[in-house]
Amino acid sequence: MNSEFNNALQSNFYSLKNAKSKFGWYKCVYTYAIGGLAGTVWETFLNLARGNGFVYCSGCILTPFNFVYGVGAVVVICCLRNRTKPTEVFIIGSLGGGIVEYVLSFLEETILGTHSWDYSQRLLNINGRTTLPYMIGWGLLCVAVIFLVYNPFNSALDCLPEKVAKIGAIVIAAVILADFAVTLGALVRYACRNGGIEAFTFIGRFIDGIFTDEFMQLRFPNMHFT
């Protein structure tokens, strides 16, 4: 059974190799957007399943593209799309997913003084920043993405005229960059206000007036100050 599954996955991979498989910058943009949107839907669904009600989990202000999942999708495709063995993808994906989750948690706590997830009470956790079961989940997800999702996704993009695809990517990238700038500014001021640091520029005061603590608490319900 395992042999048949591996053969099916590898057959799917080789059909991809025979197609146009160039992964240009514009495909990275679409990958980020689709991965980020899928992450937002997934996290929102998880909160509903856990009885937490509707919690919008994009982690951004202007777009529905979850940054962690978007970046993760791009990294997975760029690093693993040419791997031919499911076991290899699983191992690299597990380790990579755990490392990314750990590093992002560390950077958030170091830079902003907040944390959006804490697995201290979870089984086999690593400093509360990731867990071995979650790492296994990342590995399985990478196998599914590389061998079952990437092929039709890449083929669909190749069906579009390259000029049209690039123009669309430029528009999406501009929106994502604007979202990143707005979200980062709002998060920095949110952390500063929590630390008692008053805004000393017009921009800071403008951000404080628009993105209040109440707004940020609703938009980032999982973010807690350490």
Side-chain angles (χ1 to χ4, degrees), residues 108-158:
E108 180 185 347
E109 185 173 343
T110 301
I111 296 173
L112 298 175
T114 65
H115 59 82
S116 296
W117 60 88
D118 182 3
Y119 303 141
S120 298
Q121 306 303 317
R122 299 293 179 89
L123 180 67
L124 300 177
N125 75 85
I126 303 175
N127 292 336
R129 303 187 188 281
T130 189
T131 74
L132 292 181
Y134 277 22
M135 290 172 65
I136 291 173
W138 286 117
L140 294 173
L141 180 62
C142 287
V143 171
V145 168
I146 293 300
F147 293 102
L148 302 178
V149 177
Y150 175 65
N151 190 352
F153 165 73
N154 189 62
S155 298
L157 285 181
D158 284 337

Side-chain angles (χ1 to χ4, degrees), residues 64-75:
F65 308 138
N66 186 290
F67 172 76
V68 175
Y69 285 88
V71 171
V74 172
V75 171

Side-chain angles (χ1 to χ4, degrees), residues 7 18 23 27 49 94 98 107 130 186:
N7 290 337
N18 293 328
F23 195 69
K27 289 186 178 180
S94 296
L107 290 176
T130 189

Side-chain angles (χ1 to χ4, degrees), residues 52 64 69 88-89 216:
N52 297 328
Y69 285 88
E88 190 177 42
V89 171
M216 298 299 287

Side-chain angles (χ1 to χ4, degrees), residues 5 20 22 38 52 61 93 101 104 110 123-124 175 190 226:
F5 180 69
K20 292 190 293 182
K22 181 180 178 182
N52 297 328
I61 290 178
E101 195 168 35
L104 289 177
T110 301
L123 180 67
L124 300 177
V175 173
Y190 185 35
T226 57

Side-chain angles (χ1 to χ4, degrees), residues 1 40 60 83 85 93 129 151 170 194 204 207:
M1 183 65 180
T40 297
C60 297
R83 302 285 178 174
K85 298 179 180 179
R129 303 187 188 281
N151 190 352
I170 290 173
N194 180 75
I207 291 175

